[in-house]
Amino acid sequence: MNTKSLSSVFVKGKARQKMAGNYGTLIFTLIIQAVIIFALTFGAADLFQSYLIYCIAVVLIDLLGGVVNAGRAYQYMNLIYDQSISVSDLFHGFKENADKAIIIRIPFAITSFMAQIPYSLYLYGVIRSLPLVLMICTVSAILFILCSIYFGQSLFLLQDFPDKSAVELLKLSAAMMKGHALKYFLLYLSFLPVFILGCITLFIPLLWVECYIEASRASFYRELIVTANTKE
């Protein structure tokens, strides 16, 4: 097994190669996705006066975002496998297996919501203990990170194995990540310097950073598949 192919340096190098000449399409797609999610989220805040209903709406929007994420996964799979890409790829998830993309998003939506809700309750005075809020948020954030690591390949797998159920894809993603979770976590950490740089340079470079991260995730997935086939 060639473990070097899963190193952050190798994966990110492959990602940069594939992104060359495609930055405009990738960044414009990201902007459209951000505008859609922003409009839906803040639209929900204006429409619903009840905080409970607003929370439910936020979770539903997050689940719907899973379909959009499936479109981005499709786009970056095409990028990494040298296929043509377009902005319309963002909506590919609505054409095929939208139900599976929503189910795959459920563990992410739940853990993300769990990480946000305690602080909101603290602001509204429902929970008065700040240490308790911080503890709950920390635990929820760790659960979200674990979901991102072990289920992070699910939407890529959906593109390769559309006939499998959402639960099967989640299980397959978790199985693929066994023995590789630390490398995947270190891949994310390796983006911290450019992320900080993007923040101190008026945030605009973060558009490129986000595309770079997504391309690296797709590159990591491709190497995982190659590694799995080599083992067989």
Side-chain angles (χ1 to χ4, degrees):
M1 180 174 62
N2 184 9
T3 56
K4 290 184 179 180
S5 66
L6 288 172
S7 70
S8 296
V9 173
F10 183 88
V11 167
K12 291 166 72 175
K14 285 290 184 181
R16 289 194 301 272
Q17 290 178 15
K18 303 298 183 180
M19 290 173 69
N22 292 294
Y23 289 111
T25 301
L26 297 173
I27 291 175
F28 189 50
T29 302
L30 175 60
I31 292 173
I32 292 177
Q33 180 185 15
V35 169
I36 291 173
I37 299 301
F38 179 86
L40 289 174
T41 302
F42 282 85
D46 292 334
L47 287 174
F48 301 114
Q49 299 302 316
S50 167
Y51 181 70
L52 176 60
I53 297 177
Y54 168 71
C55 289
I56 294 173
V58 168
V59 172
L60 292 176
I61 290 170
D62 195 341
L63 293 176
L64 182 62
V67 183
V68 180
N69 289 340
R72 285 196 74 201
Y74 173 77
Q75 182 183 64
Y76 281 88
M77 285 278 283
N78 285 337
L79 176 75
I80 293 299
Y81 285 96
D82 297 315
Q83 304 298 312
S84 61
I85 64 171
S86 68
V87 175
S88 63
D89 291 340
L90 182 64
F91 306 100
H92 178 79
F94 292 96
K95 301 175 184 176
E96 297 182 14
N97 298 307
D99 56 333
K100 295 179 183 179
I102 290 173
I103 295 173
I104 287 172
R105 185 64 191 174
I106 289 176
F108 297 91
I110 292 175
T111 52
S112 175
F113 182 72
M114 286 172 57
Q116 297 174 42
I117 195 65
Y119 183 67
S120 297
L121 293 177
Y122 176 77
L123 291 179
Y124 278 87
V126 177
I127 299 178
R128 300 186 180 277
S129 173
L130 183 57
L132 176 61
V133 168
L134 293 176
M135 183 185 70
I136 296 174
C137 288
T138 300
V139 172
S140 300
I142 292 173
L143 289 175
F144 181 79
I145 291 171
L146 290 174
C147 276
S148 299
I149 291 174
Y150 285 98
F151 297 150
Q153 311 307 319
S154 302
L155 290 179
F156 295 128
L157 288 166
L158 178 60
Q159 314 309 317
D160 275 341
F161 306 100
D163 294 331
K164 289 185 178 294
S165 71
V167 174
E168 287 176 326
L169 293 170
L170 287 167
K171 288 181 178 179
L172 182 55
S173 175
M176 288 176 63
M177 289 305 298
K178 288 182 178 178
H180 305 300
L182 180 59
K183 289 186 177 69
Y184 196 58
F185 181 66
L186 292 176
L187 174 63
Y188 268 98
L189 283 184
S190 70
F191 287 102
L192 189 58
V194 289
F195 181 82
I196 294 174
L197 181 62
C199 289
I200 63 178
T201 52
L202 302 179
F203 296 96
I204 294 176
L206 290 181
L207 293 171
W208 172 80
V209 173
E210 171 62 23
C211 294
Y212 188 15
I213 292 173
E214 196 66 21
S216 297
R217 289 184 61 238
S219 177
F220 189 92
Y221 168 78
R222 180 177 180 175
E223 297 307 320
L224 272 179
I225 293 294
V226 171
T227 298
N229 291 336
T230 302
K231 288 176 67 176
E232 293 176 1

